């Protein structure tokens, strides 16, 4: 645990009265039932995320307030008010109904952060359909894998993405009944066998009764990566909105008058829970930037859009740090009042950099796809210990545990001892299953405890400190990458006999993906083949997932049961102790 000094919370530093000040008091009086009551305005006790996020506000003065403000590099900003969003999502809901897409049917969306993505996502939730937003930088392979696993009935995407990533493999996605394309400006033709988003929307009615979903109806399907097998599809229900609302209040300190910017893409869970749902639930205006990272542009957005609450990621912070303080000093951020980050460990230097350059420390928080919402956070209510993820939010019980052989867990009471981070089940956004994998879901729990797969420790003040992953998954630029998916893509190349993939520490993106490859007979391990394999992986997987480096090896280390020992590859690569190698199969 880190010796960096604590950042004291001083009432004079706060620009507004925070949503809570007394952590212990708030925890002791918190109940999920009371929290749910703040949102439940629906007859019959049901809850629908889109109704809660959008339509609920339309009977209030928020109707004309900007809900989403879309920025693009070459286009004027487009503002959509809560009232307009209600109408547009009604229309999309009606479009779905006209296509026979109903409650429980899966609607996949593959698009950059354009208005149509948000309209389709919320409109589909209104329809009771299950939405799965996919990251638009995925290559064709991760897209097809997820569309097929999720048995998507409809894919909403753009002309350009369709052309590049879908058209050639449409036949390989047999569950897709329809593909709907958002046209690029100036592109008059539509690919055969596809529907036109704009045309359908313009002929749809403005009025629609949303599907009265129950709290336990499935709303979202987010894919995440495991060490083995196909990606895991985490299923989330409409009741998750209660967690989004609560955590928006406690961990992001959202106030109705805020202008808020979440830099995450909705293709990842943060971009949906906190880039779409939480700010809308709070009636807050969100800025959405379509473009990729650019230090100068980001500072300008913070300044010109008068962002008050900013939720970003450690890789982005490190990229800003690397760009140098001189760029930052050209801008001022008098409106910025709260900054938070998630997704990977946030180094103490980054917390202090925030204080120096933005005028505010960065509040690290922790959660994962399965938890659906923020669980552990640094909040305005207590001092920050830079390097720590903070403390469990009201309503969340966390523990450090040790797994026993009989599948129960021992709770480690002593502070400062490393173990697995576990959360007591019962918060509304907890995932309700892994798609097609009930056994894996059950294995994630020991009695009442959900086992996160992260190693951590707790200090005497109840702050949690991240130690590492308990498995081989890789965190690169905030994205969880399954080594198996990368290995499988590499092995499709005729030269590759076997591949083992690891995450290698990287000062900016946390970990970078490195592959070790053994070759089939007749192929030469040379620079030309290395470049070809890098290109092959990039084409199949997309830039966000593909390895950045490939090394050729004679043999990969295996366990006696035949599994590649990635842990050993990593230890050897980093010059670390090899640890227990008793299960290592001797090299041929
Ligand atoms: P994902 O499911 O893609 O959101 O990734 C979740 C994983 O990211 C967690 O299980 C952690 O390993 C890592 N993670 C998320 N937030 C943090 C954080 N604040 N500090 C360290 N690791 C984090």
């Amino acid at each position: 645990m880190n010796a960096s000094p604590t950042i004291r919370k001083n009432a004079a530093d706060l620009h507004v009265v925070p949503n809570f000040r007394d952590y212990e008091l708030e925890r002791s009086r918190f109940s999920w039932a009371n929290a749910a009551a703040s949102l439940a305005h629906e007859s019959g006790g049901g809850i629908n995320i889109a109704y809660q996020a959008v339509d609920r506000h339309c009977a209030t003065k928020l109707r004309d307030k900007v809900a989403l403000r879309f920025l693009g590099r070459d286009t004027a900003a487009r503002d959509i008010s809560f009232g307009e969003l209600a109408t547009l999502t009604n229309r999309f809901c009606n479009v779905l109904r006209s296509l026979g897409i109903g409650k429980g049917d899966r609607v996949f969306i593959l698009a950059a952060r354009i208005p149509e993505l948000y309209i389709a996502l919320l409109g589909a939730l209104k329809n009771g359909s299950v939405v799965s937003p996919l990251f638009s930088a995925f290559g064709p392979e991760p897209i097809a894998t997820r569309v097929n696993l999720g048995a998507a009935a409809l894919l909403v995407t753009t002309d350009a993405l369709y052309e590049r990533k879908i058209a050639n493999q449409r036949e390989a996605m047999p569950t897709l009944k329809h593909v709907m394309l958002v046209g690029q400006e100036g592109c008059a033709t539509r690919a055969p066998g596809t529907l036109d988003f704009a045309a359908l929307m313009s002929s749809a009615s403005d009025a629609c009764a949303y599907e009265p979903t129950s709290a336990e109806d499935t709303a979202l399907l987010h894919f995440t990566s495991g060490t083995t097998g196909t990606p895991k599809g985490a299923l989330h229900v409409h009741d998750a909105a209660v967690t989004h609302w609560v955590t928006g209040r406690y961990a992001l300190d959202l106030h109705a008058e805020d202008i808020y910017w979440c830099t995450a893409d909705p293709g990842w869970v943060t971009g949906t829970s906190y880039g779409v749902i939480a700010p809308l639930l709070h009636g807050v205006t969100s800025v959405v930037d379509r473009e990729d990272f650019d230090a100068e542009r980001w500072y300008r957005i913070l300044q010109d859009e008068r962002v008050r609450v900013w939720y970003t990621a450690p890789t982005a912070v490190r990229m800003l740090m690397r760009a140098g303080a001189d760029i930052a000093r050209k801008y001022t951020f008098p409106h910025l009042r709260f900054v938070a980050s998630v997704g990977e460990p946030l180094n103490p230097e980054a917390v202090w950099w925030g204080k120096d350059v933005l005028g505010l420390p960065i509040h690290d928080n922790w959660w994962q796809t399965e938890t659906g919402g923020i669980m552990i956070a640094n909040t305005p209510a207590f001092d920050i210990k830079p390097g720590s993820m903070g403390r469990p939010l009201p309503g969340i019980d966390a523990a450090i545990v040790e797994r026993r052989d009989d599948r129960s867990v021992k709770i480690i009471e002593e502070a400062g001892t490393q173990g697995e981070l576990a959360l007591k089940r019962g918060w509304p956004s907890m995932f309700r299953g892994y798609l097609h994998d009930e056994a894996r879901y059950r294995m994630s729990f020991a009695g009442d405890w959900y086992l996160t797969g992260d190693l951590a420790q707790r200090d005497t003040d109840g702050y949690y400190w991240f130690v590492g992953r308990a498995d081989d998954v890789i965190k690169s630029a905030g994205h969880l990458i399954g080594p198996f998916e990368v290995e499988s893509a590499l092995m499709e190349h005729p030269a590759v006999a076997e591949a083992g993939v690891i995450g290698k520490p990287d000062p900016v993106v946390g970990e970078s993906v490195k592959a070790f490859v053994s070759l089939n007979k007749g192929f030469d391990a040379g620079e030309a083949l290395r470049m070809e394999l890098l290109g092959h992986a990039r084409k199949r997987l997309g830039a966000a997932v593909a390895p950045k480096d490939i090394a050729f090896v004679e043999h990969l280390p295996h366990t006696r049961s035949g599994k590649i020992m990635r842990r050993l590859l990593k230890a050897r690569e980093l010059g670390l102790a090899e640890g227990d190698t008793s299960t290592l199969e001797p090299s041929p």
Side-chain angles (χ1 to χ4, degrees):
M1 284 177 276
N2 206 283
S4 182
T6 298
I7 299 181
R8 298 241 168 262
K9 282 286 158 65
N10 201 326
D13 294 341
L14 301 170
H15 298 217
V16 297
V17 178
N19 284 330
F20 78 126
R21 276 206 164 138
D22 186 331
Y23 175 73
E24 300 299 345
L25 177 67
E26 200 71 18
R27 276 185 75 77
S28 67
R29 65 183 181 193
F30 181 87
S31 86
W32 284 111
N34 286 344
S38 323
L39 283 181
H41 301 287
E42 292 170 61
S43 58
I47 181 167
N48 180 291
I49 293 178
Y51 169 81
Q52 295 292 342
V54 184
D55 296 48
R56 183 170 58 97
H57 302 306
C58 291
T60 73
K61 61 181 189 324
L62 294 182
R63 184 178 178 84
D64 297 323
K65 181 179 173 177
V66 175
L68 297 167
R69 179 170 176 77
F70 291 93
L71 309 177
R73 189 172 294 279
D74 310 314
T75 47
R78 177 175 169 195
D79 290 342
I80 300 183
S81 68
F82 281 93
E84 284 162 340
L85 194 56
T87 306
L88 290 166
T89 51
N90 276 354
R91 284 191 184 191
F92 189 76
C93 183
N94 285 327
V95 167
L96 292 181
R97 287 174 185 171
S98 72
L99 296 174
I101 307 277
K103 184 176 175 189
D105 288 338
R106 308 236 172 85
V107 173
F108 277 52
I109 309 168
L110 175 76
R113 293 178 292 278
I114 53 175
E116 290 81 356
L117 159 57
Y118 296 74
I119 293 162
L121 194 156
L122 292 160
L125 290 175
K126 243 181 204 182
N127 189 42
S129 304
V130 177
V131 185
S132 188
L134 296 179
F135 190 38
S136 60
F138 274 155
E141 200 145 300
I143 295 169
T145 304
R146 287 160 177 77
V147 163
N148 287 332
L149 276 172
L154 166 70
L155 174 68
V156 180
T157 185
T158 64
D159 279 349
L161 288 168
Y162 183 77
E163 203 48 48
R164 286 201 345 254
K165 306 187 180 190
I166 309 291
N168 286 342
Q169 52 168 1
R170 172 95 187 253
E171 300 296 298
M173 297 182 228
T175 61
L176 277 183
K177 290 197 194 111
H178 304 286
V179 173
M180 201 186 288
L181 300 188
V182 179
Q184 307 293 98
E185 260 164 64
C187 175
T189 52
R190 191 166 37 76
T194 62
L195 303 167
D196 185 28
F197 185 96
L200 288 166
M201 284 289 281
S202 67
S203 55
S205 155
D206 283 350
C208 125
Y210 69 91
E211 179 71 30
T213 39
S214 77
E216 287 302 309
D217 280 333
T218 308
L220 289 152
L221 168 62
H222 282 294
F223 287 94
T224 181
S225 297
T227 325
T228 55
T230 52
K232 303 181 281 184
L235 293 160
H236 288 282
V237 297
H238 280 271
D239 208 28
V242 179
T243 305
H244 299 145
W245 187 82
V246 162
T247 52
R249 205 174 129 68
Y250 290 139
L252 301 176
D253 195 42
L254 291 177
H255 286 54
E257 65 276 18
D258 283 330
I259 293 177
Y260 165 81
W261 183 23
C262 170
T263 58
D265 189 280
W268 304 97
V269 70
T270 307
T272 302
S273 295
Y274 296 99
V276 186
I277 301 170
L280 294 175
L281 287 172
H282 282 273
V284 159
T285 298
S286 273
V287 172
V288 179
D289 184 33
R290 191 189 159 150
E291 300 298 322
D292 289 334
F293 175 85
D294 170 340
E296 184 103 32
R297 179 179 172 81
W298 278 31
Y299 287 128
R300 199 174 324 117
I301 291 174
L302 285 173
Q303 172 187 276
D304 293 355
E305 298 301 326
R306 303 171 166 221
V307 173
R308 286 163 59 93
V309 178
W310 191 36
Y311 194 21
T312 189
T315 291
V317 173
R318 290 190 291 263
M319 292 200 297
L320 288 175
M321 289 167 77
R322 181 174 267 205
D326 288 354
I327 303 185
R329 306 245 186 258
K330 292 200 265 174
Y331 300 89
T332 56
F333 317 105
H335 301 277
L336 196 62
R337 65 168 193 83
F338 191 78
V339 182
S341 130
V342 70
E344 330 148 49
L346 183 71
N347 350 24
E349 310 83 72
V351 179
W352 288 103
W353 171 87
K355 203 158 166 38
D356 179 30
V357 173
L358 303 173
L360 300 163
I362 300 175
H363 295 74
D364 187 17
N365 58 52
W366 178 97
W367 57 292
Q368 54 180 198
T369 305
E370 287 85 343
T371 71
I374 302 169
M375 301 281 103
I376 295 178
N378 289 284
T379 75
F382 46 83
D383 299 340
I384 297 177
K385 296 192 188 186
S388 157
M389 311 188 287
R391 299 202 266 180
L393 290 177
I396 303 301
D397 290 319
I400 300 293
V401 304
E402 188 186 307
R403 295 193 193 209
R404 294 200 187 98
D405 289 343
D406 65 358
R407 300 213 0 83
S408 65
V409 289
K410 174 178 164 231
I411 295 183
I412 301 174
E413 303 288 355
E414 317 82 72
T417 307
Q418 182 178 315
E420 184 166 356
L421 177 62
L423 303 164
K424 190 169 263 167
R425 66 161 91 226
W427 71 97
S429 69
M430 186 184 85
F431 71 134
R432 298 297 197 272
Y434 283 128
L435 195 65
H436 313 310
D437 206 344
E438 182 55 28
R440 196 170 198 169
Y441 182 66
R442 267 188 275 113
M443 293 276 287
S444 315
F445 292 85
D448 269 350
W449 291 99
Y450 164 63
L451 305 169
T452 66
D454 276 7
L455 301 175
Q457 44 186 290
R458 190 189 55 245
D459 70 16
T460 43
D461 298 322
Y463 285 67
Y464 282 74
W465 300 73
F466 182 78
V467 174
R469 290 283 310 181
D471 57 20
D472 292 334
V473 289
I474 299 162
K475 245 303 153 109
S476 187
H479 303 151
L480 212 54
I481 296 172
F484 182 76
E485 199 167 14
V486 181
E487 289 157 5
S488 306
L490 282 168
M491 286 183 60
E492 281 165 19
H493 192 283
V496 177
E498 217 174 15
V501 167
I502 63 161
K504 201 176 156 181
D506 179 284
V508 176
V509 295
E511 287 186 301
S512 69
V513 179
K514 175 158 187 177
F516 295 85
V517 162
S518 65
L519 295 178
N520 285 317
K521 281 207 173 54
F523 290 92
D524 283 334
E527 192 50 22
L529 182 57
R530 212 175 69 84
M531 296 311 287
E532 186 179 322
L533 290 178
L534 284 169
H536 160 85
R538 207 180 152 91
K539 196 160 154 240
R540 301 303 303 160
L541 297 165
V545 182
K548 299 285 176 289
D549 190 11
I550 292 180
F552 295 113
V553 289
E554 272 299 304
H555 305 286
L556 290 166
H558 288 99
T559 61
R560 285 172 203 277
S561 60
K563 286 202 187 93
I564 294 170
M565 288 184 81
R566 302 186 187 106
R567 176 179 63 73
L568 202 57
L569 282 172
K570 190 163 180 168
R572 289 176 181 168
E573 173 72 13
L574 304 180
L576 304 172
E578 294 196 353
D580 179 9
T581 52
S582 56
T583 59
L584 180 67
E585 175 80 25
S587 299

